[in-house]
Amino acid sequence: MLPYNPKLKERARDLRSSMTDAEVALWAKLRRRQLYDHQFRRQKPIGNFIVDFYCPSANLVIEIDGGQHYSQDGQAYDEKRDAKLRSLGLEVLRFSNFDVLGNLEGVIGEIVRYLERNAR
């Protein structure tokens, strides 16, 4: 089991009830073991972070990035965050809101390719 900050549980619960349009669209494709029978969790606390989606069987984190992630500060924060998640043995796939809303099947294709190569 991955470590997590228990103080983040309530915030994660709140985030699950206020997902972005892109998160809702992707969740509709990930939920109920639709991709090769892999279970995904949404708004999952890991360490001191809450990740958008997490697949335990593939050690995979999926992040959906809005505009704030493309500022210099946002990119620097994301790099540190991804490095910490990778130190826990996780892989991080990042997609923009635009990618998810405009090319959902392409995003799913990338996730499927990762699962085919790396899932246990």
Side-chain angles (χ1 to χ4, degrees):
M1 181 177 203
L2 290 170
Y4 73 95
N5 181 342
K7 294 177 182 177
L8 295 176
K9 285 179 78 169
E10 188 63 35
R11 176 74 177 129
R13 217 173 270 131
D14 291 342
L15 289 171
R16 283 191 289 274
S17 66
S18 61
M19 292 177 21
T20 67
D21 290 345
E23 290 170 340
V24 169
L26 185 56
W27 180 238
K29 299 290 187 176
L30 298 177
R31 66 188 302 195
R32 296 189 185 128
R33 298 179 179 268
Q34 293 180 71
L35 296 182
Y36 294 101
D37 202 36
H38 288 283
Q39 181 178 11
F40 283 83
R41 301 181 190 279
R42 60 188 171 130
Q43 306 302 334
K44 172 77 172 144
I46 299 175
N48 286 315
F49 308 109
I50 299 173
V51 301
D52 291 335
F53 301 101
Y54 169 60
C55 178
S57 61
N59 291 324
L60 175 63
V61 168
I62 300 171
E63 289 291 302
I64 309 301
D65 295 341
Q68 72 275 15
H69 292 270
Y70 299 105
S71 70
Q72 196 170 30
D73 289 343
Q75 288 178 343
Y77 176 79
D78 286 345
E79 286 175 20
K80 290 178 186 173
R81 186 175 190 266
D82 290 356
K84 178 60 179 168
L85 292 169
R86 280 195 294 284
S87 77
L88 296 172
L90 303 173
E91 179 63 34
V92 180
L93 296 181
R94 287 188 171 275
F95 303 98
S96 71
N97 284 338
F98 181 78
D99 287 338
V100 173
L101 295 173
N103 184 20
L104 183 56
E105 292 309 313
V107 168
I108 294 298
E110 285 192 48
I111 296 168
V112 165
R113 281 188 290 281
Y114 177 85
L115 293 173
E116 288 174 340
R117 287 189 317 265
N118 299 290
R120 40 184 156 115

